[in-house]
Amino acid sequence: MALGPRSSHKTGSRFPAGSKRGRGAKGSGRPASGRHRQPSAPPEGRSEPAVDAHPHLSPEALGYFRRALTALKEAPETGEERELMVHNVLKEVEAQALALATNRTGSEMLQELLGFSPLKPLCRVLAVLRSNLRFVACHRCGVHVLESALLQLPRLLGNPVEEEEEEEVEEEEDGKDPPLDTLKELVLGLASEVCDDFLFYCGDTHGSFVVRTLLQVLGGTLLESERARPRGSQSPEARRAPTREYKPAAFEVPESFLNCLQDLSSCFLKDIAVFITDKISSFCFQVALQVLHHKLPRFCAHLCDAVIGYLSNRSSSADGSPLLLFLRDQTSSRLLEQVLLVLEPPRLQSLFEDHFQGRLQTLAAHPIANFPLQRLLDAITTPELLSPVFEELSPALEAVLAQGHPGVVIALVGACRRVGTHQAQVLQLLLEAFHCAEPFSRQVACVPLFATLMAYEVYYGLAEEEGSVPTEHEVDMAAARALGEVTVLGSLLLQHLLHFSTPGLVLQSLAAMTGPQLLTLAQSPAGSHVLDAVLTSPSVTRKQRRRVLKTLKGQYVALACSRHGSRVLDAIWGGATLGARKEIAAELGERDQELIKDPFGHHVARNVALTTFLKRREAWEQQQGAVAKRRRILNSILED
């Protein structure tokens, strides 16, 4: 969809906001404490069924494990009673592990129970699951139990007490049980079996989860993007939203695990064409690249070279580089995105020169290829690469926005922020793209336009014909208009701009907003992060920060009674001087009962110590003065 420079039609004239991807995570509340009673054992007759018999979990057994899980949650976190309870419950789990794992309700409970498990019971459960690996790994419930068992490794491998127990794990218990493999042996054995049938497990909808988890635990790197991935289906647009930057959680693993990780990852090279083009298998390859990038960077580079080499030798496209064909493919482009993010700067520069240069505007306009282009921009860390990219993309900034690919523009602005060059140029181009560069008076309106991704005349409902002289900005008109809906990408754009070396224009625009407008920004899920950037950006001076935040005076109660606004107010309070804290507390104190009754406001009241402020002002001032003094000392230490 094209956007004319000064279209008089409002319909379709808003810059399309692009795709959004959200991540939700379920949480389980801790039950209220009660009497700690061990649940009664399940009925007799629990024989471990064969895989072919489709193991069945009786309602009585299911009820037992449900009561057991509740009792464990209510029991004290330490003590002999708890240890005995855990031992007894997990003994029953061992006998019915397969039936539990393949039952929908049972698998959910088993996943929670594994979180309580010491080393030896976990090894026994893992041994049962491994002996039926193909059945469990390809079962829609069993696969998540196997994942949960593997994800206990960071907890158990790093625990000296558990490691001592592992040394004794091969001993027979009561002279009856056969010797049991250690946890390390079980994981390495499981990896060996997966390696033997690698293509099958990677290509199976459920089995691929096991491969991805196995790659992470072997590399001692748990990826947040994998841990937080949604279980439900997503639309293509949601799946292709801009990638969030995740910091992986690392833990120590033995050398044998890293050797096994390299062996397992070598399997990708045997059938590289499949892993590049198959949707399910490609996910495994992407996870492998992320883990190897942190643990085995040389081997990661080897895999990246193999991918680029393979794709570069395919049939040439009409545009020249054969790689461009795969940049436009839904599946292979996702793998290429990950390759771009893990390439070292020299290799990234060569890739740009060989395949991307001269074609950036075409890629930016493509509905799929614009995402790998965003990842290229995200990966830029040197001025040598940013300069030719900026020179090629900058003339098309407004066109890219109008085509509904604002993620490309945000990624380019992010690269300018990160590298520290072309910042003034890109800001000027943004002002022109949003039609607020001329006349000069319009520049003060840039924040609402950037936040909502709307051009000036569209945002204010002006009927300006193409080629007409733009009107001056009317302050009264701007003050009377409520802030529009803040988009996620608009918020990201403003956050980048506030971290530029000279964010003065954006701060001036923020300071020109009315109290209700700034309140709307603070209460918005996306917009609240703009104020976070104001509070945390090293480029924003204290004087500039105060000039923006003073507009919120008179809005503190409304802020406190908002989910996102209360978080912003807490951040403001954390950095406020004693004098500013008195002003905030005094305003909140005028409506203290309303605050205390609100689900968010009462947290703010407690954080501000509002009751103490209202009843014992002198004690409150001493307390806040001490806090301010500690903060000054800490800041001076950090600055040194």
Side-chain angles (χ1 to χ4, degrees), residues 460-489:
Y460 289 109
L462 304 177
E464 293 186 351
E465 296 293 340
E466 185 175 349
S468 64
V469 177
T471 59
E472 292 284 343
H473 178 66
E474 296 181 19
V475 177
D476 292 341
M477 173 189 69
R481 192 197 190 287
L483 182 68
E485 182 185 355
V486 181
T487 67
V488 172
L489 293 177

Side-chain angles (χ1 to χ4, degrees), residues 86-101:
V86 169
H87 179 272
N88 291 342
V89 172
L90 290 172
K91 193 68 179 173
E92 300 298 336
V93 166
E94 293 169 24
Q96 302 203 68
L98 202 59
L100 271 170

